[in-house]
Amino acid sequence: MRVLIVDDHPIIVAGCAAMLAGEGDIDVVDARDAETGLAAFIAHRPDVTVVDIAMPGVSGLELTRRILQEDPAARIVVFSMNDDPIFAARAIEAGAKGYVTKNDDPYLLLKAVREVAAGGVFLMPKIANQLAFEKGGGAGPLGSLTARELEILRMLGSGLGMAEIAEATQVSYKTIANSCSIMKRKLGARTPMELMKIALEQKLA
């Protein structure tokens, strides 16, 4: 089995690679951002791709969409610091087959990789239960946002302007501006600066 890990934290990549490669039947390749991650996916055609959400520039959610545009049958596990079920819901919405947080037992990642490689799906029981109770809508201020809106909000929180976000996500400036207007209504924000503040408060950036 070949597994691609896309994560900008070298220590996490090294730890995960060692754990997976230690199984004996798993070959690991890695990349540090969305651009090189997509290139590595095209070059190596992994059985499973493990993607971090929070990376410089384009996030793991957007990378998930781009990989699935390249190969609709791709099997992706999102591996994130964030245990808020809204992120799991948006990862699934983007097309991921699994969601594991970095705060839990690292062997859950191995379990997720094997489950997804076999054609299944994997959610940690805690997150699965929360999603079931919240019925996908999500509690809290981010629950009403789509995966694309969540991605734009994260990039605003990282200090990117709307023109930079449009370029990074490969859509028009007008589309980003419209999304920001919708988010302001949903989140009760009046200005892009208030959206940035919300992103920072919710630890998106």
Side-chain angles (χ1 to χ4, degrees), residues 1 3 5 13-29 110 114:
M1 186 196 310
V3 175
I5 301 174
V13 171
C16 292
M19 178 183 68
L20 295 172
E23 290 292 291
D25 63 337
I26 300 177
D27 178 36
V28 179
V29 293
L110 174 60
R114 292 208 179 276

Side-chain angles (χ1 to χ4, degrees), residues 1-188:
M1 186 196 310
R2 177 169 293 159
V3 175
L4 168 62
I5 301 174
V6 187
D7 194 303
D8 64 318
H9 296 94
I11 294 175
I12 288 176
V13 171
C16 292
M19 178 183 68
L20 295 172
E23 290 292 291
D25 63 337
I26 300 177
D27 178 36
V28 179
V29 293
D30 66 82
R32 300 300 164 87
D33 57 37
E35 184 178 353
T36 57
L38 182 59
F41 177 86
I42 294 169
H44 298 286
R45 295 294 172 179
D47 298 288
V48 177
T49 302
V50 176
V51 176
D52 185 18
I53 287 184
M55 294 185 289
V58 174
S59 80
L61 294 179
E62 179 64 23
L63 175 59
T64 295
R65 283 189 286 268
R66 293 182 187 182
I67 287 174
L68 289 168
Q69 285 175 352
E70 175 67 30
D71 179 4
R75 294 168 177 172
I76 300 169
V77 174
V78 170
F79 190 43
S80 172
M81 287 292 294
N82 203 310
D83 59 4
D84 188 327
I86 191 63
F87 287 89
R90 296 304 175 252
I92 294 165
E93 180 185 301
K97 298 297 184 185
Y99 189 94
V100 179
T101 72
K102 296 176 181 178
N103 303 320
D104 283 282
D105 185 340
Y107 283 94
L108 284 174
L109 177 62
L110 174 60
K111 186 175 180 180
V113 165
R114 292 208 179 276
E115 187 72 28
V116 171
V121 296
F122 185 89
L123 277 177
M124 294 182 306
K126 179 177 68 175
I127 287 182
N129 290 339
Q130 287 176 303
L131 284 176
F133 279 111
E134 292 167 7
K135 301 186 185 299
L142 304 182
S144 63
L145 301 186
T146 66
R148 174 53 62 85
E149 289 166 353
L150 202 60
E151 162 76 351
I152 293 169
L153 185 62
R154 185 193 70 81
M155 296 176 89
L156 284 170
S158 298
L160 296 181
M162 287 193 286
E164 293 170 303
I165 295 172
E167 182 179 357
T169 56
Q170 300 176 344
V171 300
S172 70
Y173 178 91
K174 183 177 180 181
T175 297
I176 299 300
N178 287 341
S179 294
C180 287
S181 295
I182 292 168
M183 285 192 292
K184 282 189 282 187
R185 287 200 299 273
K186 287 181 176 180
L187 299 175

